[in-house]
Amino acid sequence: MSKILLHKCHNTFYQPSHCVASNVDIFDPWIKNTDNLEIEMLKNFPAAKKYDGIILAVPHAYFIDLGIDFIRQLLKPQSVFFDMKGAFPKEYSDARL
């Protein structure tokens, strides 16, 4: 079963029915109140979990301050880190726009 951490971009359209993965965790440090959202988001950063993939959609200082080594240690072996906005140097990302 795949486990993916998705950092949700505020202006990105997202519907759970479009998600291919079995389990998706969504975390955004800027969103404090999720009552008006149609999706469930994690309230705290999942530092103890391991993921098949991590998608960083927006380069918030929160994630940059964590550092690429910390983010990549959240990945399982043979997984992917997708840095959509180039927050980190491209050699640290498995894919990016």
Side-chain angles (χ1 to χ4, degrees):
M1 184 178 304
S2 295
K3 190 77 170 168
I4 296 175
L5 173 64
L6 171 68
H7 168 244
K8 182 189 175 293
C9 180
H10 296 286
N11 58 2
T12 300
F13 181 75
Y14 172 81
Q15 285 187 330
S17 62
H18 293 147
C19 181
V20 178
S22 300
N23 293 305
V24 176
D25 287 345
I26 302 171
F27 174 74
D28 189 320
W30 286 15
I31 296 179
K32 301 299 180 202
N33 183 350
T34 60
D35 293 343
N36 295 327
L37 299 176
E38 294 182 17
I39 58 173
E40 280 197 36
M41 295 181 61
L42 298 175
K43 296 193 186 298
N44 299 304
F45 190 77
K49 290 187 175 184
K50 295 289 185 182
Y51 291 94
D52 296 302
I54 295 176
I55 301 169
L56 184 65
V58 177
H60 291 323
Y62 180 92
F63 297 111
I64 294 169
D65 291 345
L66 287 175
I68 189 62
D69 291 333
F70 180 83
I71 292 172
R72 290 196 67 88
Q73 65 92 21
L74 297 172
L75 293 167
K76 295 177 183 176
Q78 299 183 3
S79 55
V80 64
F81 172 60
F82 183 50
D83 183 2
M84 289 180 58
K85 300 291 184 170
F88 297 101
K90 62 181 168 183
E91 61 267 17
Y92 296 111
S93 180
D94 300 303
R96 65 194 288 175
L97 294 178

